[in-house]
């Protein structure tokens, strides 16, 4: 298992970057159109059924930049299935604000502002990559301490599905899916998103990804967990509102043709009336 952390420094020129070293593969690139990584997002990805990667963004820091904007962290863990209890805790950090805030405080304790600035300047002696990873893993393992290993949960009722992150039932389903991705071998992806705001958007994302997909929407989620393998149908829930029934194309064309015929008949009557009056 390898771990990486991205943050920024105090000075304006010290923009967001990975400290020490970057992940060798940005495996989340294929999902970025459905994520807002400046906000609180969680991605757990196991596309081949073997190695699992986890990304958690929007972790708040107590540090601020030179103009007073609050700084945040993004954590990436490759091979997170090797420590499923740690992965399960990071999933909770992605779903629960108090846990995410606690993680931010733990990261601040090992990544003080002056050290972060020195790393970003390249002014640290020794092996910055090793030091950063050692500090990061220590903070993550501290947060996960006491989390039980548990066991593989019962088979889920759904394949690909979407829910609202504010719905306790949907969060429970999401944790069950994350548990399976961490401890099982079936390929799939589970993620939260600020970038999608409808069931149809989640359905498009699921079609583009490999394996089973679980999506929690921060905005526009359905009132209850919805399968993404079912057709949208009439009255599908999107952005919290029922959609208007779809108008079939054939009916629309017939209505338009009838309107054209009626207008043509009216014009003909008017022309005949004018000819009679002037004749």
């Amino acid at each position: 298992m390898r771990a990486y952390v991205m943050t920024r420094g105090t000075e304006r020129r010290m923009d967001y970057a990975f400290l020490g070293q970057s992940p060798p593969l940005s495996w989340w690139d294929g999902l970025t159109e459905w994520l807002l990584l400046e906000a609180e997002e969680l991605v757990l990805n196991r596309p081949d059924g073997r190695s699992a990667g986890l990304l958690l963004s929007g972790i708040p820091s107590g540090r601020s930049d030179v103009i007073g904007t609050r700084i945040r962290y993004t954590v990436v863990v490759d091979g997170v299935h090797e420590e499923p209890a740690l992965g399960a805790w990071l999933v909770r950090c992605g779903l629960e604000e108090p846990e995410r805030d606690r993680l931010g405080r733990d990261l601040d304790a090992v990544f003080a502002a002056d050290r972060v600035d020195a790393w970003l300047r390249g002014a640290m002696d020794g092996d910055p990559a090793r030091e950063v990873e050692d500090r990061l893993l220590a903070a993550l393992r501290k947060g996960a301490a006491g989390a039980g290993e548990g066991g593989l949960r019962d088979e889920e009722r759904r394949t690909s599905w979407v829910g609202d992150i504010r719905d306790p039932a949907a969060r429970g389903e999401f944790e069950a899916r994350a548990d399976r991705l961490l401890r099982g071998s079936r390929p799939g992806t589970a993620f939260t998103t600020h970038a999608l705001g409808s069931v149809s958007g989640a359905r498009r994302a699921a079609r583009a990804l490999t394996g089973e997909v679980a999506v929690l929407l921060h905005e526009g989620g359905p009132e209850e967990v919805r399968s993404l393998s079912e057709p949208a149908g009439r009255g599908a829930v999107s952005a919290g509102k029922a959609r208007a029934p779809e108008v079939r194309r054939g009916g629309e064309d017939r209505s338009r043709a009838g309107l054209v015929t009626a207008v043509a008949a009216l014009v003909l009557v008017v022309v005949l009336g004018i000819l009679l009056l002037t004749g």
Side-chain angles (χ1 to χ4, degrees):
M1 186 177 76
R2 303 299 304 274
Y4 312 87
V5 62
M6 174 187 285
T7 191
R8 66 158 297 137
T10 304
E11 299 175 20
R12 185 185 295 270
R13 64 186 177 86
M14 293 179 177
D15 204 357
Y16 282 92
F18 282 100
L19 302 181
Q21 62 182 335
S22 302
L25 178 65
S26 299
W27 50 261
W28 59 91
D29 280 350
L31 292 92
T32 51
E33 67 178 292
W34 307 305
L35 302 172
L36 187 61
L37 293 178
E38 296 80 3
E40 304 85 6
E41 301 285 40
L42 168 67
V43 182
L44 180 56
N45 189 42
R46 197 164 191 168
D48 56 6
R50 294 192 293 274
S51 181
L54 184 145
L55 180 147
L56 179 60
S57 67
I59 305 165
S61 170
R63 297 179 293 119
S64 299
D65 65 17
V66 69
I67 61 172
T69 303
R70 191 171 190 182
I71 292 172
R72 61 189 183 276
Y73 296 98
T74 294
V75 168
V76 174
V77 184
D78 290 343
V80 68
H81 62 285
E82 295 175 11
E83 296 190 30
L86 184 149
W89 179 66
L90 287 176
V91 168
R92 290 200 297 275
C93 291
L95 302 181
E96 301 174 12
E97 186 175 358
E99 291 298 302
R100 189 165 54 248
D101 290 345
R102 182 162 72 92
L103 173 58
R105 292 191 295 271
D106 288 345
L107 293 177
D108 280 344
V110 296
F111 296 116
D114 58 342
R115 297 190 72 85
V116 170
D117 289 353
W119 274 315
L120 291 172
R121 289 193 201 101
M124 294 293 289
D125 296 328
D127 186 352
R130 173 62 63 85
E131 183 179 355
V132 167
E133 186 172 36
D134 287 348
R135 286 171 175 265
L136 175 58
L137 285 172
L140 298 183
R141 286 166 176 152
K142 174 186 175 184
E149 283 291 322
L152 191 63
R153 303 190 187 194
D154 293 338
E155 187 72 19
E156 293 175 90
R157 295 172 293 152
R158 299 172 174 86
T159 52
S160 292
W161 57 264
V162 59
D164 192 311
I165 198 168
R166 295 161 293 189
D167 176 14
R171 289 200 305 271
E173 288 273 358
F174 190 92
E175 288 190 271
R177 174 61 56 86
D179 186 79
R180 180 165 296 281
L181 290 173
L182 288 167
R183 304 176 193 275
S185 59
R186 290 164 60 182
T189 304
F191 67 99
T192 69
T193 173
H194 284 82
L196 295 173
S198 68
V199 172
S200 59
R203 182 173 287 108
R204 288 193 299 272
R207 288 172 179 167
L209 296 172
T210 300
E212 299 173 350
V213 178
V215 185
L216 287 182
L217 303 179
H218 282 272
E219 299 292 338
E223 293 181 0
E224 59 182 14
V225 175
R226 288 276 302 276
S227 171
L228 292 176
S229 61
E230 298 172 356
R234 295 174 180 259
V237 177
S238 176
K241 298 179 181 179
R243 291 179 183 168
E246 181 182 358
V247 177
R248 293 184 179 273
R249 184 67 184 175
E252 181 181 344
D253 290 343
R254 286 193 294 272
S255 297
R256 186 174 298 164
L259 178 61
V260 171
T261 302
V263 171
L266 179 60
V267 170
L268 180 60
V269 170
V270 171
V271 170
L272 290 175
I274 293 173
L275 291 175
L276 290 173
L277 290 173
T278 58

